[in-house]
């Protein structure tokens, strides 16, 4: 069996991180800002947070000062809390 270039470019990358299905909303305070959102990926060095604007934000764990869990019952309630901050 030889190496096939077409298979190399058309294969699914199995090492790509899966999106976390955690519905918990977090308040993450860094040295510069405070972020509100859901954690969609994390490893030993960083985490990615999906913010209220549905934008992913990469945060280095070394820059995190405090993490607070904000549990909400409904998405509508979550969005109203985001707008207050």
């Amino acid at each position: 069996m030889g190496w096939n270039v077409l298979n190399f470019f058309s294969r699914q990358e199995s090492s790509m991180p899966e999106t976390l299905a955690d519905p918990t909303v977090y308040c993450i305070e860094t040295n510069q800002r405070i972020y509100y959102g859901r954690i969609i990926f994390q490893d030993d060095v960083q985490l990615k947070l999906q913010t209220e604007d549905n934008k992913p934000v990469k945060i280095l764990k070394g820059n995190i000062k405090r993490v607070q869990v904000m549990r909400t019952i409904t998405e509508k309630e979550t969005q109203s809390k985001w707008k207050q901050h």
Side-chain angles (χ1 to χ4, degrees), residues 4 7-8 10-11 14 20 23 43-44 50-53 59 63 65-66 76:
N4 189 335
N7 284 341
F8 177 77
S10 64
R11 69 185 171 117
S14 61
L20 297 178
D43 59 18
D44 293 340
Q50 183 177 3
T51 64
E52 60 186 5
D53 302 326
I59 303 172
N63 293 336
K65 290 172 58 176
R66 183 172 55 158
K76 203 177 238 187

Side-chain angles (χ1 to χ4, degrees), residues 45-60:
V45 178
Q46 68 178 349
L47 64 85
K48 287 188 182 178
L49 192 75
Q50 183 177 3
T51 64
E52 60 186 5
D53 302 326
N54 286 328
K55 294 182 182 179
V57 176
K58 181 172 78 170
I59 303 172
L60 296 175

